[in-house]
Amino acid sequence: QAQPAESGGGTVHAGESLRLSCTLPGTIYSPACMGWFRQAPGKEREVVARIDLNSRDSQFDGLTRYDDSVRGRFTISKDNLGKTLFLQMNTLKPEDTGMYFCAVAKQTYCSGAHGRRDFDYWGQGIQVNVSA
């Protein structure tokens, strides 16, 4: 089964920026929610940002949600077709270091998609390293 594919990771110094991208394969269409998860060494995988897509109520389409640890520094967005997801990460900190995963919830909107088991498709992950 084709998976979402992340790109854009790497190693930066604290205070610098990175932009992650995630491209959906053609077999995944019209998802309800997409998100970025982060897993630091020895820690659980946690959601850092989510965005609603294809909402039945247009006022919620594109609605974004952030973990407190990244709010104001990270921005999640999508392209017009909803096939590519982005995470702009500014003012990076060493504690942002980890493997970042793109995740797709096929039918569950972000208001109900809080954890790993709420998402149906996962990318392989991409490493982000932030040095002090």
Side-chain angles (χ1 to χ4, degrees):
Q1 176 175 321
Q3 295 175 280
E6 302 99 338
S7 61
T11 299
V12 297
H13 293 104
E16 295 182 340
S17 300
L18 279 174
R19 189 189 197 210
L20 304 183
S21 299
C22 171
T23 302
L24 297 186
T27 51
I28 302 175
Y29 54 91
S30 301
C33 174
M34 292 186 68
W36 288 98
F37 282 70
R38 175 175 65 199
Q39 187 164 17
K43 294 190 176 181
E44 295 290 319
R45 192 176 301 184
E46 59 180 4
V47 63
V48 297
R50 292 169 287 158
I51 185 168
D52 276 294
L53 305 97
N54 303 299
S55 174
R56 291 184 295 271
D57 190 335
S58 60
Q59 69 175 322
F60 296 118
D61 203 23
L63 185 66
T64 57
R65 307 163 195 265
Y66 298 95
D67 183 77
D68 288 343
S69 65
V70 306
R71 187 174 291 111
R73 299 187 297 121
F74 288 13
T75 302
I76 188 171
S77 63
K78 60 179 178 66
D79 69 350
N80 290 336
L81 295 177
K83 297 298 289 184
T84 305
L85 183 71
F86 304 100
L87 185 67
Q88 178 66 42
M89 306 186 292
N90 297 330
T91 320
L92 282 160
K93 303 177 181 180
E95 50 263 44
D96 293 319
T97 292
M99 187 74 78
Y100 283 71
F101 297 86
C102 171
V104 180
K106 188 70 171 76
Q107 296 181 321
T108 305
Y109 290 105
C110 291
S111 58
H114 306 287
R116 293 182 63 172
R117 58 187 174 185
D118 299 318
F119 290 81
D120 306 295
Y121 305 101
W122 293 85
Q124 295 276 22
I126 194 160
Q127 184 68 36
V128 171
N129 296 313
V130 184
S131 61

